[in-house]
C-alpha cells in the first residue's frame, strides 16, 4: 500500500488541501492542472459569466467527456467480445 500524503492544490481560484497516496499524487496534480486549464478556457470565452456558473459549465463539459469515453469503452468492449466469438468459431471450423 502506498503512503498517504497531503497535496495542496490551487483549483479554480481556491486553495485545497487534499489527501491522496504517493503513487496517485502526480495524477491528482495533473487533474488539477487540466481543471484549471478548462476553467481558464471558459473564462476567456465568457469573461462576464459569474464564477459559480462557470464552474458548473466546466463540470458539465468534463462529465460529457467522461460519458463519451465510457460509451467508447463499452463499444470497444463489445467489439472485443464479438471478435473473440468470431475467433472461437474460426478455430472450431479449422
Amino acid at each position: 500500500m502506498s503512503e498517504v500524503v497531503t497535496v495542496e492544490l490551487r483549483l479554480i481560484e481556491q486553495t485545497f488541501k487534499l489527501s491522496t497516496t504517493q503513487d496517485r499524487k502526480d495524477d491528482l496534480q495533473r487533474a488539477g492542472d487540466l481543471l484549471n486549464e478548462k476553467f481558464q478556457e471558459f473564462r476567456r470565452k465568457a469573461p462576464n459569466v459569474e464564477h459559480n456558473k462557470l464552474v458548473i459549465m466546466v463540470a458539465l463539459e468534463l462529465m460529457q467527456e467522461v460519458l463519451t469515453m465510457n460509451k467508447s469503452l463499452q463499444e470497444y468492449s463489445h467489439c472485443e467480445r464479438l471478435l473473440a466469438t468470431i475467433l472461437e468459431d474460426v478455430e472450431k471450423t479449422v
Side-chain angles (χ1 to χ4, degrees), residues 3-17:
E3 174 188 353
V4 175
V5 295
T6 300
V7 178
E8 186 171 294
L9 297 176
R10 182 118 175 108
L11 303 171
I12 307 180
E13 302 171 357
Q14 294 184 30
T15 301
F16 295 86
K17 287 187 179 184

Side-chain angles (χ1 to χ4, degrees), residues 9-68:
L9 297 176
R10 182 118 175 108
L11 303 171
I12 307 180
E13 302 171 357
Q14 294 184 30
T15 301
F16 295 86
K17 287 187 179 184
L18 305 168
S19 292
T20 188
T21 57
Q22 185 64 42
D23 58 336
R24 296 189 71 191
K25 179 181 173 183
D26 290 340
D27 289 339
L28 180 61
Q29 289 174 324
R30 181 66 184 132
D33 291 343
L34 291 171
L35 178 62
N36 287 330
E37 288 171 19
K38 184 68 76 174
F39 181 80
Q40 291 306 320
E41 174 187 325
F42 273 71
R43 173 63 73 206
R44 282 189 298 278
K45 290 179 183 176
N48 296 324
V49 174
E50 64 184 77
H51 180 85
N52 291 341
K53 288 182 180 179
L54 277 179
V55 170
I56 291 169
M57 291 166 63
V58 168
L60 283 173
E61 177 154 311
L62 292 173
M63 288 311 304
Q64 284 180 312
E65 290 178 17
V66 167
L67 291 173
T68 299

Side-chain angles (χ1 to χ4, degrees), residues 55-91:
V55 170
I56 291 169
M57 291 166 63
V58 168
L60 283 173
E61 177 154 311
L62 292 173
M63 288 311 304
Q64 284 180 312
E65 290 178 17
V66 167
L67 291 173
T68 299
M69 285 189 280
N70 282 342
K71 185 177 178 184
S72 295
L73 286 173
Q74 289 172 353
E75 290 170 359
Y76 174 79
S77 180
H78 174 72
C79 290
E80 191 175 47
R81 286 191 304 273
L82 184 60
L83 181 58
T85 302
I86 292 169
L87 288 174
E88 287 174 12
D89 291 345
V90 168
E91 288 175 359

